Amino acid sequence: MHQITKLILSLILLITCMTVSFADIDSLKYALITEDTPKERKKLVDEYLQNIDTYSIDSVIKFSHELVQISQKTNNQYGIIKGNYFIGLQYGLQTRFDEALIWYHEGLQYALQQNDTTHIVTGYRMIANIFSRNNKEDSLRYYSNKAVKLAKQTQNNIELGAAYIDLAIFHNNQANPDSALQYYQLSLDFFDKGKNIEGKAISLGNIGNLLNKTENYELAKDHLLRAIKINKSKDYLFELSNNYNNIGISYEFLWQLDSAEQVYEKAIEINNKLGDERSNAVAYNNMGSLLTKKENYKGAENYYLRSLAICDSMQLIIGQLYNYQGIGNLYFKQKQYEKSIESLIRSIKIAEKLSLSDLKIKTLYTLYEVHKALNDYEDALIYLEKHDALSDSLDLINQKKRIDQYKVLYETKQKENELLKQKVKFENKSKEVEISRIKSQRRLNILLGIGLILVLVFIVYIRLRLKNKKIKKQSETIRKSNKQLNINAKEIKSQTEKLKIQNTKLKDLSEFRDNIISTMVHDLKTPLNSIIGLSSMEPNQEMQSHIHYSGKNMMNLVSNILDVQRYEQAGLKTKIEKLPIKPIIQSVTKDLELDISIRQQQIITKLETETVYADEQLLRRIFINLLSNAIKYSPKASTTTISASLDINKNQVIIRVSDQGEGIKKEQIAKLFKHYSNFNPKSMGMSYSTGIGLSFCKIAVEAMKGEIGILSIEGNGTEVWFTLPN
């Protein structure tokens, strides 16, 4: 079920992307070829890159290559530089770091040839960013320092602020939040100096995000609110969406869950407006995490799968990791352990590929809890040991980093201690010689004793190891045999259940087929009998009217059946336009005039609004089906009322068709919109009906974005209502 849902969401996303027209991109390509003004060329390049950024990464790379080729032919240096940088950016998003560096260096060479200092600094920063993500500290520092030095020389406070952001990101990735915070603060100061509001908002947002990671949620919330205020005032929608996502995390861990849900919804609204599926992947993942905490598991699964579909289609590997991790945790809470294990294993494989040990640790512990819940203590112990080993390894790495930070201070203290030792040694030289001799003798004795003990311990260890190895091998053989027996039992049980389901489906299908044939033949029999009987009589105008009316009834029934089948296969196409209601009702009433006159019935209209937005043919057939039913199931000399009113609050038109028939039992109402359902009011002498007319009405109304329902009290008439957008 998980795989099917994921496939459906992926198809929906693909179809949505395909609906975007390539016309704008083609027109921009043509403009880039024909335009010769440098200022306009720059504007066109930026517009081109903005347009292609909504596509998948592979498509963006293809379009960027085309931009570089066009720019080389037209000697557009700005386009060459931006195109190369944009290709490098896409490869970086795919963690294809070597390819990203090739294209960044290519763009940097063009910038150096043109002495374009702004793009030279940008190139240094982008290369530094790749080395930051690739954990190559020396190369990172080299390019970051070049970017900082050139930005200072040119007094480019904006690029300087951006360079410090890159350094902050590196220290953040290296689990050094204090240094990261210092660099973010420096970036904020230089953006202030450069009066760059957008950069200031970015720095505030990054500081808020970092404070979230260090669990300073209140302080994080304050910084993010400042960033939101700036981005709102300047209408920086992309950054505003990121701010809402991050402040949602703050609210979530402060257990202000409703506030978190509100800001995540705002982020999704902005992303939909921008067509930014990449940011929506983050927002959907956050919403999945939040709804899991609120125990809305169905909603959480829906958002996780929507996020995963986007990550799959756009090749966002880190997003896939977070979604599989979240889905695994969700299934664990729902006690769907097998599904949980499948998702968590996928998460671990991605974490190992990206060398993200901290995320792998979290997933290993969840796997331990899942296997413990399954009473599979052996596998649970394996995952717990892996978790502890990796945690210890990370602790050692972090410890080494802290030691390196204080290395200079330590070495200075060590030298001071060494000088002090030399002084003490010089003053007590004769005394130390004697003490040294005594200590050496004692040390030798201790070493001999330790040596003998170690030999004995080693012999005992080898014997125990051989014995344990044999026991472990026997246990492993038994465990594998038990596991295979369990698998075989599960397969047999699964096949049995499948056969039962198939048999039930075949039985239901046989009964359904018999019911369809019976009811359809009965419904078609009545008008056919009328036509056959009337055709044998002397021709006259009344007879021709009866034949024509019976034929139209048959045509309406057949059309309903065909349209319901067609909709189920390919969907119902609509042509929505503004229509007057009254002429349509008059036309339908005229078509049913013969049946109305025979039953001595009356049709009354009460229209509070004169127009509606709908497909004319569908609306006409809805009225034909509903009026036919009202006439058919109402007594002689009764009145059927058609009313239309405007619901201003919901911005919709409500249309009601009310008759004076016997009404419908409550338990029958729910079945009436199902295909080939029937209603048989025996006291009125009516015959069975296929129910296909109401099924068609439901399909037609919903195709026009409306709703349909029935209100009926047995013995007191029936009202069928439906709505259409105004």
Side-chain angles (χ1 to χ4, degrees):
M1 185 64 187
H2 162 72
Q3 295 294 333
I4 294 171
T5 308
K6 176 181 165 186
L7 178 62
I8 292 169
L9 289 170
S10 298
L11 289 171
I12 292 170
L13 180 65
L14 179 62
I15 293 167
T16 304
C17 292
M18 290 174 64
T19 58
V20 179
S21 172
F22 291 93
D24 291 342
I25 294 175
D26 290 334
S27 64
L28 284 167
K29 287 180 190 174
Y30 179 79
L32 283 166
I33 294 170
T34 57
E35 183 59 55
D36 56 1
T37 308
K39 186 176 180 181
E40 286 300 313
R41 277 183 175 181
K42 287 184 178 181
K43 185 178 178 182
L44 287 168
V45 167
D46 292 336
E47 188 177 350
Y48 181 91
L49 293 174
Q50 186 179 1
N51 268 270
I52 68 173
D53 199 33
T54 58
Y55 292 87
S56 69
I57 291 176
D58 288 338
S59 297
V60 174
I61 291 172
K62 173 181 173 292
F63 290 133
S64 299
H65 275 294
E66 291 177 0
L67 171 63
V68 172
Q69 291 168 2
I70 292 169
S71 299
Q72 287 173 337
K73 289 178 182 178
T74 58
N75 197 28
N76 182 354
Q77 299 298 318
Y78 182 83
I80 295 171
I81 295 167
K82 295 285 280 190
N84 279 296
Y85 285 169
F86 217 66
I87 294 170
L89 177 64
Q90 306 312 310
Y91 283 129
L93 291 172
Q94 292 182 320
T95 67
R96 294 160 67 179
F97 298 128
D98 291 338
E99 291 166 271
L101 286 171
I102 291 170
W103 289 98
Y104 282 149
H105 278 294
E106 187 74 11
L108 179 60
Q109 290 305 312
Y110 277 100
L112 288 166
Q113 290 172 14
Q114 298 298 311
N115 197 27
D116 183 349
T117 55
T118 299
H119 284 106
I120 292 171
V121 174
T122 302
Y124 288 149
R125 286 197 304 99
M126 287 180 163
I127 293 169
N129 180 266
I130 292 297
F131 287 128
S132 167
R133 295 165 64 194
N134 215 9
N135 295 320
K136 294 184 178 179
E137 185 172 0
D138 292 337
S139 299
L140 161 76
R141 291 190 181 280
Y142 174 78
Y143 282 99
S144 291
N145 288 335
K146 287 177 78 72
V148 169
K149 184 178 179 181
L150 184 56
K152 283 182 177 178
Q153 287 175 357
T154 56
Q155 296 183 341
N156 190 336
N157 290 320
I158 296 171
E159 284 295 329
L160 195 55
Y164 282 130
I165 284 180
D166 291 333
L167 286 168
I169 291 170
F170 170 76
H171 284 283
N172 185 31
N173 292 340
Q174 294 296 308
N176 190 355
D178 293 336
S179 296
L181 193 59
Q182 290 174 7
Y183 281 113
Y184 277 136
Q185 190 59 52
L186 280 171
S187 73
L188 184 60
D189 294 339
F190 279 100
F191 283 133
D192 258 338
K193 288 180 182 178
K195 297 180 180 179
N196 185 275
I197 300 298
E198 183 179 6
K200 183 178 178 181
I202 291 171
S203 293
L204 286 168
N206 283 329
I207 292 170
N209 189 26
L210 178 60
L211 290 169
N212 268 339
K213 289 181 179 178
T214 55
E215 300 181 358
N216 294 310
Y217 300 117
E218 281 291 348
L219 194 56
K221 185 176 73 173
D222 293 339
H223 281 80
L224 289 166
L225 286 172
R226 289 169 63 191
I228 287 169
K229 185 177 180 181
I230 294 171
N231 288 323
K232 260 189 173 180
S233 65
K234 296 295 181 180
D235 203 28
Y236 295 148
L237 296 181
F238 178 81
E239 288 300 325
L240 186 59
S241 169
N242 288 337
N243 295 154
Y244 281 139
N245 270 321
N246 289 326
I247 201 170
I249 294 170
S250 303
Y251 285 132
E252 191 174 336
F253 283 94
L254 290 169
W255 282 96
Q256 299 173 15
L257 302 184
D258 290 337
S259 297
E261 187 170 1
Q262 289 172 8
V263 293
Y264 287 152
E265 286 173 349
K266 288 181 180 179
I268 292 169
E269 183 181 348
I270 292 171
N271 296 336
N272 289 336
K273 183 177 179 181
L274 296 175
D276 186 359
E277 288 300 313
R278 188 179 288 122
S279 295
N280 253 348
V282 176
Y284 289 155
N285 180 274
N286 287 342
M287 189 68 88
S289 171
L290 171 68
L291 293 179
T292 300
K293 288 183 179 177
K294 296 181 80 172
E295 298 183 354
N296 180 358
Y297 297 133
K298 186 175 181 181
E301 183 180 25
N302 178 48
Y303 276 106
Y304 275 133
L305 292 177
R306 290 169 71 183
S307 176
L308 185 58
I310 294 171
C311 293
D312 288 348
S313 68
M314 301 187 78
Q315 301 150 6
L316 304 176
I317 300 174
I318 189 71
Q320 292 172 334
L321 187 155
Y322 278 112
N323 279 302
Y324 282 128
Q325 193 178 70
I327 291 168
N329 184 49
L330 172 66
Y331 286 143
F332 171 59
K333 290 184 179 295
Q334 293 178 289
K335 299 183 179 180
Q336 298 182 35
Y337 298 126
E338 295 300 327
K339 287 185 176 181
S340 176
I341 291 170
E342 180 186 355
S343 294
L344 293 170
I345 292 295
R346 290 187 177 188
S347 172
I348 283 181
K349 287 180 180 178
I350 298 171
E352 288 174 344
K353 181 180 177 182
L354 301 179
S355 301
L356 297 174
S357 299
D358 53 337
L359 294 176
K360 184 180 176 183
I361 287 171
K362 183 178 179 181
T363 308
L364 285 170
Y365 193 78
T366 307
L367 278 167
Y368 154 71
E369 292 187 315
V370 173
H371 283 283
K372 187 172 72 171
L374 285 168
N375 295 324
D376 183 3
Y377 296 110
E378 184 175 356
D379 285 342
L381 182 60
I382 290 170
Y383 283 113
L384 184 60
E385 288 173 346
K386 288 181 179 179
H387 168 270
D388 292 343
L390 190 57
S391 297
D392 292 342
S393 174
L394 276 182
D395 287 341
L396 287 173
I397 292 169
N398 292 333
Q399 185 179 6
K400 184 180 181 302
K401 289 176 183 175
R402 288 193 293 272
I403 290 171
D404 289 341
Q405 290 175 2
Y406 297 102
K407 188 176 180 180
V408 176
L409 180 62
Y410 171 77
E411 288 175 351
T412 303
K413 290 287 183 183
Q414 194 177 39
K415 287 178 182 179
E416 290 176 357
N417 291 335
E418 188 65 32
L419 288 171
L420 184 61
K421 286 178 183 178
Q422 288 176 2
K423 184 179 178 181
V424 172
K425 186 177 180 180
F426 178 77
E427 292 174 349
N428 301 291
K429 188 174 181 181
S430 59
K431 187 177 179 180
E432 287 177 357
V433 170
E434 182 63 23
I435 293 171
S436 178
R437 187 186 66 78
I438 295 169
K439 284 183 177 179
S440 296
Q441 186 62 45
R442 287 179 180 175
R443 193 179 296 114
L444 182 61
N445 294 336
I446 291 169
L447 287 173
L448 286 171
I450 291 172
L452 289 171
I453 293 169
L454 287 174
V455 170
L456 290 172
V457 169
F458 182 72
I459 292 169
V460 172
Y461 169 75
I462 292 297
R463 293 186 67 182
L464 288 173
R465 184 178 175 86
L466 290 172
K467 188 175 181 180
N468 287 337
K469 212 170 186 180
K470 186 177 180 181
I471 293 169
K472 188 175 180 181
K473 190 174 181 181
Q474 291 173 347
S475 298
E476 181 65 20
T477 303
I478 293 168
R479 187 187 68 81
K480 286 182 178 178
S481 298
N482 289 337
K483 191 172 182 180
Q484 188 60 45
L485 287 171
N486 288 335
I487 290 169
N488 292 341
K490 286 179 181 178
E491 287 180 355
I492 292 168
K493 185 177 179 182
S494 175
Q495 291 296 328
T496 303
E497 290 297 324
K498 286 179 181 178
L499 286 171
K500 286 181 180 179
I501 292 168
Q502 289 296 329
N503 288 335
T504 302
K505 285 183 177 178
L506 288 171
K507 183 179 177 182
D508 292 344
L509 185 61
S510 177
E511 291 177 359
F512 179 63
R513 180 199 62 194
D514 293 342
N515 288 337
I516 289 174
I517 293 171
S518 175
T519 52
M520 285 179 61
V521 167
H522 200 288
D523 269 10
L524 289 170
K525 181 180 176 183
T526 301
L528 276 172
N529 281 340
S530 296
I531 292 171
I532 293 167
L534 290 167
S535 62
S536 63
M537 297 169 62
E538 187 69 28
N540 58 61
Q541 185 62 37
E542 184 179 357
M543 181 192 74
Q544 288 179 355
S545 296
H546 278 285
I547 291 173
H548 180 71
Y549 179 72
S550 297
K552 290 191 75 171
N553 278 347
M554 288 177 64
M555 178 59 73
N556 186 53
L557 175 62
V558 172
S559 295
N560 287 341
I561 294 168
L562 292 175
D563 283 346
V564 168
Q565 184 184 20
R566 189 184 300 119
Y567 175 75
E568 290 177 340
Q569 293 174 351
L572 197 61
K573 295 182 180 179
T574 62
K575 181 182 177 182
I576 306 300
E577 56 186 332
K578 189 175 183 180
L579 301 171
I581 302 174
K582 191 171 182 180
I584 294 174
I585 295 173
Q586 289 174 340
S587 174
V588 170
T589 304
K590 186 176 180 181
D591 286 348
L592 301 173
E593 187 175 12
L594 182 62
D595 212 358
I596 293 168
S597 63
I598 289 171
R599 297 173 182 272
Q600 300 174 14
Q601 293 178 354
Q602 185 179 5
I603 306 298
I604 296 175
T605 57
K606 297 179 181 180
L607 306 179
E608 295 179 12
T609 179
E610 296 293 331
T611 59
V612 69
Y613 285 90
D615 182 297
E616 184 175 0
Q617 294 301 321
L618 293 182
L619 183 59
R620 176 180 170 80
R621 287 177 58 192
I622 289 168
F623 276 128
I624 287 175
N625 280 295
L626 296 184
L627 278 175
S628 295
N629 284 346
I631 294 165
K632 183 177 181 180
Y633 296 122
S634 295
K636 285 188 176 183
S638 62
T639 300
T640 298
T641 303
I642 304 173
S643 65
S645 60
L646 182 62
D647 187 339
I648 297 173
N649 293 330
K650 294 185 178 180
N651 195 23
Q652 62 185 11
V653 174
I654 304 173
I655 299 173
R656 295 180 172 85
V657 179
S658 307
D659 63 42
Q660 295 178 336
E662 285 193 355
I664 306 169
K665 292 181 179 179
K666 187 176 181 180
E667 59 270 18
Q668 289 182 319
I669 292 176
K671 303 177 183 177
L672 292 179
F673 288 112
K674 294 181 180 177
H675 303 346
Y676 309 109
S677 63
N678 56 67
F679 170 55
N680 184 30
K682 294 179 180 177
S683 61
M684 295 171 60
M686 301 301 176
S687 61
Y688 280 96
S689 171
T690 60
I692 199 71
L694 285 175
S695 295
F696 170 78
C697 289
K698 186 175 189 296
I699 290 169
V701 169
E702 289 177 353
M704 294 186 289
K705 311 299 182 187
E707 297 177 345
I708 189 168
I710 294 176
L711 297 174
S712 183
I713 300 173
E714 192 176 0
N716 200 26
T718 300
E719 175 186 289
V720 182
W721 59 268
F722 63 95
T723 65
L724 293 172
N726 186 27

